[in-house]
Amino acid sequence: MVIDMLVHPLLYGDIYKPGDGPEGFAFWEREYGMGHMGPMDWEEIEVELNAGDVQLSALMPIDATTASGGCFATNEQIAQIVAAHPDRFIGFASVDPHCPDAAEKLERAFRDLGARGLSLHPAKQGFAPDDPLAEPLYELCETYNRPVVFHAGMSWEPKAPLAQSHPLAFERTIMDHPNVRFSLTHFGWPWVRETVAMLLKYPNCYADTSITYLDSPEEMMSRLFTVDMGEHWFERSFSHQVMFASNTPRFRAFKLKRALDAVPMPDDVRELLYSGNALRFLDGEE
């Protein structure tokens, strides 16, 4: 089983809206910093998922209302996709911490929309992870036993400063909330060893494999697991804290899965990477 823990449904025909405005593709194209790509119907999406042997994908919205005037998919749109294909998707929620009703919206997403966690991109949303305005959100995550995905490391999005995505920028929050599970996307790349330090120090900290690849996916995954960190660091020291993720649509799950298949590691550790750690992250069960 393979679970992809980072998918942005920007091209999904179920919620695609032509034109501009806060729910239009022109907004997504401009604010997400990607070239124009057309919408995909369910048949196309399913073929791509099957090509990567991906059984389950975690859909991540981003509410950038204050910073950019719109959302990269709303919580309701995420719930709509999950309801249409419950055997293939799980949905996260996102709220804008700057909005006075952010906590109310998040609780509704957890309680009424079935959101499995909180997706935040502090650099893009324009807040520091340890800003007091985000505290009510972390408290709700602890109350509802929901994890937080922090978009960390390299970000292509305009007006998303890299300095605000450094893995250590999240340390205070992760340290102050030991009962909340947090994930740093993109393995915090290019700050891989700083991410390793976070994993070693904080058992409630996770990371994922959705790294920007400069060469081929095979070369980048090989470098991550054998050069940027020691060849056996993952399997010997933090095998329960790294999850498979692709960052679709910018990068494709089937390509990263193929690349990771070529990285030597024990079968039981590979199973944790592909699905076991994601289930543990989602549910908080040992």
Side-chain angles (χ1 to χ4, degrees), residues 55-120:
Q55 283 75 49
L56 199 61
S57 296
L59 303 180
M60 300 286 168
I62 300 172
D63 185 343
T65 300
T66 299
S68 302
C71 300
F72 304 108
T74 66
N75 298 334
E76 289 75 16
Q77 287 174 325
I78 296 294
Q80 174 187 337
I81 298 173
V82 173
H85 310 285
D87 58 332
R88 302 306 295 263
F89 297 118
I90 59 173
F92 273 56
S94 186
V95 294
D96 182 349
H98 297 282
C99 295
D101 60 348
E104 180 182 338
K105 287 182 177 179
L106 181 60
E107 187 161 26
R108 175 178 177 270
F110 288 163
R111 186 188 62 233
D112 301 335
L113 300 179
R116 298 290 297 277
L118 173 62
S119 167
L120 294 174

Side-chain angles (χ1 to χ4, degrees), residues 218-235:
E218 286 79 5
E219 289 169 320
M220 285 300 289
M221 289 299 103
S222 176
R223 179 178 177 88
L224 171 64
F225 284 93
T226 65
V227 178
D228 292 339
M229 57 183 175
E231 185 174 357
H232 300 291
W233 288 9
F234 169 55
E235 63 187 77

Side-chain angles (χ1 to χ4, degrees), residues 22-216:
E23 294 184 349
F25 186 75
F27 166 79
W28 292 348
E29 182 182 25
R30 179 181 68 250
E31 293 296 331
Y32 201 67
M34 54 189 265
H36 182 74
M37 301 170 69
M40 300 171 66
D41 60 28
W42 168 243
E43 287 72 22
E44 292 177 282
I45 295 168
E46 187 174 36
V47 167
E48 186 167 309
L49 292 173
N50 292 341
D53 195 30
V54 176
Q55 283 75 49
L56 199 61
S57 296
L59 303 180
M60 300 286 168
I62 300 172
D63 185 343
T65 300
T66 299
S68 302
C71 300
F72 304 108
T74 66
N75 298 334
E76 289 75 16
Q77 287 174 325
I78 296 294
Q80 174 187 337
I81 298 173
V82 173
H85 310 285
D87 58 332
R88 302 306 295 263
F89 297 118
I90 59 173
F92 273 56
S94 186
V95 294
D96 182 349
H98 297 282
C99 295
D101 60 348
E104 180 182 338
K105 287 182 177 179
L106 181 60
E107 187 161 26
R108 175 178 177 270
F110 288 163
R111 186 188 62 233
D112 301 335
L113 300 179
R116 298 290 297 277
L118 173 62
S119 167
L120 294 174
H121 192 333
K124 182 63 178 174
Q125 293 175 292
F127 75 99
D130 59 355
D131 192 310
L133 61 82
E135 282 301 310
L137 308 182
Y138 306 141
E139 292 171 5
L140 275 171
C141 288
E142 180 169 357
T143 298
Y144 281 87
N145 188 30
R146 299 291 197 273
V148 178
V149 169
F150 276 136
H151 295 261
M154 173 64 182
S155 171
W156 293 94
E157 290 88 341
K159 301 179 182 178
L162 290 177
Q164 295 181 18
S165 294
H166 193 288
L168 297 186
F170 303 93
E171 183 177 18
R172 173 62 62 179
T173 299
I174 293 173
M175 178 175 63
D176 287 349
H177 298 277
N179 296 321
V180 179
R181 301 175 300 286
F182 296 90
S183 176
L184 302 179
T185 64
H186 316 315
F187 214 100
W189 188 90
W191 301 288
V192 170
R193 296 200 176 190
E194 289 84 347
T195 302
V196 168
M198 292 287 289
L199 296 173
L200 292 174
K201 187 169 183 179
Y202 301 104
N204 61 322
C205 182
Y206 291 67
D208 73 42
T209 63
S210 61
I211 292 179
T212 299
Y213 45 87
L214 305 180
D215 300 303
S216 70

